Amino acid sequence: MSPESSSTGSQLVKRGLADMLRGGVIMDVVNPEQAKIAEDAGAVAVMALERVPSDIRRDGGVARMSDPHMIQEIQATVTIPVMAKARIGHFAEAQILQALHVDYIDESEVLTPADEENHIDKWDFTVPFVCGATNLGEALRRIGEGACLIRSKGEAGTGNVVEAVRHLRTINAQMRRLQSADASELFALAKDLGAPLPLVREVAETGHLPVPMFCAGGISTPADASLVLQLGAEAVFVGSGIFKSEDPTRMAHAIVEATTHFRDADVVAKVSTGLGAAMRGAETATLEQRLAERGW
Amino acid sequence: MRVGVLALQGDVREHTASLTALGVETVPVRRPEHLENLAGLIMPGGESTAIAHLLTTSGVREPLARALEAGLSVLGTCAGLILLSREVLDGRSDQWSFAALDVAVRRNGYGRQLASFETTLEVVGLGAVPGVFIRAPKIESWGSDVEVLATHDHGDGVFPVLVREGAVWGCAFHPELTADTRIHELFVSSLVDR
């Protein structure tokens, strides 16, 4: 085979990395030391960012892409994939992250949106993208724009799993509705969802998203991980939940174990024992800023 | 015939689907007792550091090492290949492997995700087979008992991508990500029911 016959950046190759991350934990890290702790604990990837969501929430101001130097330091520290966040619609930040050879870009509502109309045209990139979604229409719109991995949004930085559960249950219920619809109903359902018809037809036929579905936003204990995996998430993103807990190393190990053995309550009970305090958390009803409402 | 799929992390679902399409009964392996009475085992793609960690914490590592020594048939793809290799280059300083296959592999030897690629491979006995390489390991050296079943010319040299040493098969790419089940069929046809 000549090298010319190889192709990079195909959908299969971009979705393929998401497939490899299934059953794993992707951890937010803000420096090489945390990245090392994450890899030691069995994380399948790290998300390099300057502040975890709970600090972004506390500090306020505009949250942007991280300093390239910090991303490169983390790339030099770990052997697992390194992801980084770009602002919604900020394709120039995404171009920079691709130039840095990050393995996945998260077009994330945790950062301050740069465009209130348009998300990034993700078909334009060789690097794959993950995007958040609160419902099926949003998920399929992102996939239509080229996202290769969907994560339910939850409410980042709260340590409260309630929104993640709401979003997963919503997506699941809407997928079941499509499966029970007859072919002539799918046009109106696609209109109601605001989603591309071919993708609506695909979900109606298969019963799942065309790309893997992970869960993010508010996971802060092994039990939370077990819960969202039993609700159909295929892997978890943990942001503030690890490095804002009392004992991050133990919490990281415990969430990794619980993610692999999520149906085995004996294992989840064992790793939940004597963990120290989880992050303090926030009641979502009292939040001033709901990050999940960013993106549409 | 029962074939196990190591189900600690990675693309377990795709391997299971490929085996099911061939009419093979599959067993997800997460605990030591799941290794009993298997005709063979597949070690899937995923992150080798995460799977290595979970092999230790789940208690599967030691009994699997013994099973491999006793001649268990195994097919490792990508991360699975890394875990079976004699030597891992560019791994973590504490990265261990089962050393069941006499090859040295370089982790992410073809580059980071931007360099991940798909191509068509020529496999001995099968002809053209799709090859999907995701942050794939590169087999840089191999022993004389290792049979090379497919190679890939990546411009900087020709490297084996599908190898076999007796009952141990290693694959740098992901046959499970395509609908083509012939690599799985090749592996399954080598198994002896027990």
Side-chain angles (χ1 to χ4, degrees):
Chain A
M1 270 304 123
S2 64
E4 294 81 46
S5 62
S6 300
S7 63
T8 57
S10 66
Q11 282 302 97
L12 186 57
V13 161
K14 287 157 86 171
R15 289 176 188 184
L17 181 55
D19 290 324
M20 298 312 137
L21 301 175
R22 287 227 219 83
V25 183
I26 299 142
M27 301 184 190
D28 279 3
V29 297
V30 300
N31 55 45
E33 293 71 40
Q34 290 187 353
K36 186 74 174 51
I37 290 173
E39 187 179 61
D40 287 347
V44 290
V46 291
M47 178 76 72
L49 73 178
E50 262 159 19
R51 292 173 290 171
V52 293
S54 65
D55 288 340
I56 292 174
R57 195 177 273 295
R58 185 198 62 207
D59 297 349
V62 175
R64 309 180 179 91
M65 179 190 80
S66 297
D67 183 332
H69 176 66
M70 173 269 182
I71 294 169
Q72 287 167 325
E73 273 190 334
I74 289 173
Q75 286 173 321
T77 304
V78 295
T79 63
I80 55 180
V82 176
M83 304 186 175
K85 290 181 193 288
R87 283 180 264 177
I88 289 172
H90 206 315
F91 53 85
E93 283 189 347
Q95 288 161 355
I96 292 167
L97 294 175
Q98 174 162 283
L100 293 172
H101 291 212
V102 304
D103 293 294
Y104 240 91
I105 295 176
D106 185 3
E107 186 181 17
S108 177
E109 70 282 1
V110 168
L111 305 184
T112 310
D115 187 328
E116 294 188 332
E117 290 282 324
N118 307 293
H119 283 250
I120 296 170
D121 176 1
K122 294 165 274 288
W123 298 104
D124 250 7
F125 289 79
T126 306
V127 65
F129 280 74
V130 52
C131 288
T134 59
N135 58 59
L136 182 59
E138 201 176 353
L140 295 181
R141 286 193 292 280
R142 297 294 86 78
I143 295 166
E145 295 157 2
C148 294
L149 169 60
I150 293 296
R151 52 174 176 76
S152 57
K153 279 182 182 171
E155 191 56 39
T158 62
N160 190 338
V161 78
V162 66
E163 294 299 314
V165 169
R166 187 193 320 280
H167 300 156
L168 281 174
R169 283 201 182 273
T170 301
I171 292 169
N172 285 337
Q174 290 174 320
M175 290 198 292
R176 282 195 298 270
R177 172 71 186 97
L178 291 187
Q179 274 189 291
S180 66
D182 71 38
S184 62
E185 290 176 304
L186 291 178
F187 303 98
L189 286 167
K191 189 200 79 180
D192 292 344
L193 288 169
L197 182 62
L199 295 177
V200 167
R201 283 185 170 139
E202 187 176 340
V203 173
E205 197 181 310
T206 65
H208 54 78
L209 293 181
V211 304
M213 179 172 72
F214 295 179
C215 178
I219 297 162
S220 47
T221 66
D224 288 348
S226 169
L227 174 68
V228 299
L229 286 152
Q230 291 187 61
L231 287 172
E234 297 175 284
V236 293
F237 285 85
V238 184
S240 324
I242 288 171
F243 290 100
K244 290 292 174 186
S245 69
E246 189 181 329
D247 186 343
T249 300
R250 277 195 73 183
M251 185 62 83
H253 276 89
I255 292 180
V256 166
E257 294 299 314
T259 299
T260 289
H261 302 282
F262 68 93
R263 287 191 194 283
D264 189 336
D266 290 335
V267 173
V268 182
K270 192 173 146 214
V271 300
S272 300
T273 307
L275 266 185
M279 68 177 284
R280 186 164 180 284
E283 175 64 56
T284 51
T286 60
L287 293 179
E288 282 175 24
Q289 170 74 64
R290 284 187 170 243
L291 301 177
E293 288 169 1
R294 293 171 167 175
W296 36 87
Chain B
M1 178 182 293
R2 285 155 40 98
V3 174
V5 180
L6 187 65
L8 297 169
Q9 191 275 315
D11 67 338
V12 177
R13 190 174 77 189
E14 284 76 8
H15 274 295
T16 305
S18 298
L19 290 171
T20 305
L22 294 171
V24 175
E25 186 192 344
T26 61
V27 182
V29 174
R30 288 192 194 87
R31 290 170 175 263
E33 60 267 29
H34 299 156
L35 287 168
E36 286 161 22
N37 302 315
L38 298 179
L41 177 72
I42 287 183
M43 294 169 65
E47 275 309 313
S48 63
T49 54
I51 298 173
H53 176 83
L54 290 159
L55 276 165
T56 305
T57 57
S58 65
V60 172
R61 178 179 172 179
E62 292 306 322
L64 178 51
R66 284 195 299 274
L68 288 168
E69 237 163 77
L72 175 68
S73 290
V74 60
L75 164 65
T77 65
C78 196
L81 162 65
I82 294 170
L83 287 162
L84 291 169
S85 299
R86 167 179 46 79
E87 188 183 359
V88 182
L89 308 166
D90 284 350
R92 284 165 53 94
S93 54
D94 59 349
Q95 186 141 2
W96 60 270
S97 55
F98 286 111
L101 184 60
D102 188 11
V103 297
V105 297
R106 188 172 299 281
R107 285 191 61 201
N108 306 329
Y110 294 94
R112 303 186 73 94
Q113 172 63 14
L114 273 181
S116 292
F117 63 97
E118 55 179 306
T119 188
T120 305
L121 301 167
E122 194 66 28
V123 176
V124 174
L126 296 183
V129 169
V132 184
F133 293 77
I134 312 281
R135 285 172 49 98
K138 188 182 267 180
I139 299 175
E140 293 198 347
S141 67
W142 55 99
S144 52
D145 292 338
V146 175
E147 189 184 350
V148 176
L149 298 172
T151 59
H152 172 64
D153 179 355
H154 203 62
D156 56 349
V158 178
F159 298 95
V161 292
L162 178 64
V163 297
R164 176 182 183 181
E165 185 181 3
V168 182
W169 302 61
C171 189
F173 57 99
H174 293 283
E176 73 279 11
L177 288 185
T178 70
D180 191 319
T181 55
R182 286 176 296 161
I183 301 273
H184 288 83
E185 206 174 347
L186 203 60
F187 173 65
V188 168
S189 67
S190 77
L191 303 179
V192 182
D193 211 347
R194 54 177 166 180

